[in-house]
Amino acid sequence: MVVKLDDIFDNVMNNEIFKDRSVLQIKYTPENIPHRDEEIRYIAKILAPILNGEKPSNLLIYGKTGTGKTLCTEYVSKQILKKTKELRVNVKIEYINCRLGKLDTSYRILAEIMKKMGVKIPTTGLPTMDIWGKFIDLIEEKKQLVILILDEIDQIIKMKKTKDKEEDNFLYTLSRKNQELKNSQISFIGISNEITFLDNIDSRTKSSLGEEEYIFKPYDALQLQDILSERCKLAFNEGVISSGIISKCSAYAAREHGDARRALNLLRIAAELSERDNKKTIEDEYIDLANKKIENDRVIEMVDSFPKQQKIVLYAIILLSKNKQNDKIEKFYTGNVYDTYQDLCKKTNTEILTQRRIGDILTELDTMGIINSTVISKGRYGRTKNITLGISPNITIKVENKLEEGLGV
DNA sequence: AGGTATTCACATGAAACTATTCTCTGAGTTAGG
DNA sequence: TAACTCAGAGAATAGTTTCATGTGAATACCTGT
């Protein structure tokens, strides 16, 4: 049988919606960054000493996801680099995302930095201090300033908990090594999602870290609108999109702590869905569809990455809430979940964990928003958690299928 | 009736255990001089 | 000879168990009217 795909291809090729779809992708860097003038100026002010060949202060930037932290920092560093070329100042700016590619030890971060600077390091086998040495040598080769942009810096902090060995604390070592440098200097810009992350650092490191701080505030709905319409001009053909759509998107995203990334994502997916349906404009309900899809994908992805035990627990909960819908039971609690869980374990030949652990898994699922649990007291009949599913029914079905497939039930 | 005590079914914490992953070291290997 | 690779020892870590203690209110049990 010949499957005719021409119509699908045609849709995409003569698509009337997109002018340039890359504009809505996350990695796209716009030329204009609306509503971030103040932030950009601030970063520029901090980095400006570079132009005189002086070491700028270390800078910490906080802010929720999608508030433009990375974007602004990259923007400024690009501008600075341009300037330094004119002025012939020796500056290197390296961007490292500490979350990407499991960079969860000093060793790996160093290796990554070195790789970006053009030196290859074996992925394992060498003592960390050796790498430090090499790193220092590399920088000391010539007189220069090195600026490290450490995105998601909180990851680095989290990775170390042992108190006695300060050697393996990346940031602490970095600031100490900096004092040994003769020719060159290192500064860094740390970007973090959590404001609280400074609390978990020991005080010596802290003092060397936070010379300057800046907090990115979330965008409000109006600002998001500006950002979106700016991009829309580039991304879509004329008449495809109405201002109502834009404000709806931004309203959705503003509800979630003003995340611009999310707003753009929403718009892009809505557009793609419209395109698939061969529409010429983006209609209102496609935003809702997109919103659902995003949520859907998020949950599915999360569930997919669960370890087996959590999958079984979740599956047990789904089974129980199905019973609840059929009015077989009214409510269910930790004990019920544990019982069904045990049955499932026997069926799937899985090791049975203790109830203590299942309790913890339940709280984990709760914090992820997949279930809701409230501790209640049933008086004479004990104290327990009342558990309900926290995801909408249509997602639940997909999750259920996914789980059945994964567990072979 | 009103008050107190009991009791259930877990929650919540801390510590100990364990299996897996990482780091580090020295021995072996390779490549270039 | 310097640089790299690799295996195995030991350390760190995440996931889990064991033990211990805590908890809110429905119920059981008094107590005096």
Side-chain angles (χ1 to χ4, degrees), chain A residues 146-183:
Chain A
V146 178
I147 314 291
L148 301 176
I149 302 176
L150 302 168
D151 207 344
E152 321 245 14
I153 197 174
D154 28 345
Q155 293 300 111
I156 303 187
I157 307 299
K158 267 184 205 154
M159 78 196 187
K160 95 133 221 160
K161 270 175 193 166
T162 37
K163 289 156 205 160
D164 33 284
K165 281 195 180 177
E166 60 247 43
E167 292 301 329
D168 65 342
N169 183 333
F170 181 80
L171 294 172
Y172 182 65
T173 320
L174 182 65
S175 64
R176 270 216 342 222
K177 292 282 171 193
N178 201 9
Q179 290 159 14
E180 294 171 18
L181 294 173
K182 300 235 167 76
N183 275 325

Side-chain angles (χ1 to χ4, degrees), chain A residues 42 46-47 55-61 146-148 171 174-175 178 186-190 205 207-213:
Chain A
Y42 184 86
I46 300 291
L47 292 185
K55 173 187 179 302
S57 304
N58 293 333
L59 171 63
L60 284 179
I61 297 175
V146 178
I147 314 291
L148 301 176
L171 294 172
L174 182 65
S175 64
N178 201 9
I186 312 175
S187 304
F188 62 86
I189 302 175
T205 315
S207 59
S208 65
L209 261 175
E211 297 183 334
E212 302 282 347
E213 293 181 13

Side-chain angles (χ1 to χ4, degrees), chain A residues 368-387:
Chain A
M368 281 186 274
I370 294 185
I371 64 169
N372 297 314
S373 69
T374 5
V375 184
I376 52 158
S377 175
K378 293 189 294 162
R380 192 73 219 277
Y381 304 105
R383 224 164 95 89
T384 180
K385 273 180 182 154
N386 180 22
I387 295 158

